[in-house]
Amino acid sequence: MTSDLTPYAERVLDLVERIPPGRVMSYGDVAEFLGEGGPRQVGRVLSVWGGGVPWWRVIRTDGTPPPGHETECLRRWHEEGTPVKGARAQMSTARWDGTPL
């Protein structure tokens, strides 16, 4: 049942909550940091349970927002001061590696 939060989903959501404002991780970054799953599994967790966490901080490797959420994502990035170029986060400066700032 998709409403039951799995232990993996809890770990994904916990990490997403720790991404600092103005920073981003790719779906693959999240999976790599956790040492489990992959980009698609992270995306699935966020699509099912991610409404209560800063989902806009988890994006595609090329810096683009999740499909269908571009406007909301860009608005939040601008509010948080996320480095952007056009409609993409600048991964070279915005990417967070999981270490405390």
Side-chain angles (χ1 to χ4, degrees), residues 14-30:
D14 177 62
L15 178 58
V16 172
E17 286 181 329
R18 292 185 289 156
I19 300 172
R23 304 301 291 272
V24 297
M25 292 181 95
S26 71
Y27 295 99
D29 291 341
V30 171

Side-chain angles (χ1 to χ4, degrees), residues 25-89:
M25 292 181 95
S26 71
Y27 295 99
D29 291 341
V30 171
E32 184 177 331
F33 184 87
L34 294 175
E36 60 184 316
R40 290 177 190 256
Q41 289 81 12
V42 171
R44 176 71 178 147
V45 167
L46 289 174
S47 72
V48 175
W49 296 291
V53 299
W55 55 265
W56 58 92
R57 297 180 190 154
V58 182
I59 61 175
R60 293 173 160 186
T61 301
D62 66 0
T64 56
H69 300 282
E70 295 86 357
T71 302
E72 178 71 8
C73 203
L74 284 168
R75 182 184 69 76
R76 290 181 183 260
W77 289 350
H78 287 295
E79 287 176 358
E80 293 185 351
T82 305
V84 297
K85 184 172 186 174
R88 295 175 187 242

